[in-house]
Amino acid sequence: MRLQEVKISETGILELDIMELPESCILVISQGKAKYAPLPAHAETSIVTYQGKVKRVNFDEGEEF
């Protein structure tokens, strides 16, 4: 699974060290959870929502010919 959890403290503070993240990545926050994923070199990334909540993150990868 690409998405990795980001720690959120008991007081609701997002604990994220940007020096440990990939150079290009997405951060998704929904329903009190936070996750991140590195962005592929050649891809289309879409975030699917339903009733204002994130349901799915899709990666449609390609490759240069």
Side-chain angles (χ1 to χ4, degrees), residues 26-64:
I26 58 168
L27 175 65
V28 181
I29 303 170
S30 179
Q31 303 175 47
K33 296 179 187 175
K35 295 184 179 186
Y36 77 93
L39 292 174
H42 302 282
E44 182 176 312
T45 304
S46 61
I47 300 171
V48 179
T49 62
Y50 178 72
Q51 294 182 344
K53 300 174 185 174
V54 176
K55 289 295 180 184
R56 182 169 205 83
V57 178
N58 294 320
F59 295 91
D60 183 17
E61 292 190 58
E63 191 172 311
E64 291 289 329

Side-chain angles (χ1 to χ4, degrees), residues 8-21:
I8 299 177
S9 71
E10 292 178 10
T11 58
I13 296 175
L14 189 66
E15 298 177 10
L16 186 64
D17 183 359
I18 62 169
M19 298 304 288
E20 293 182 7
L21 291 175

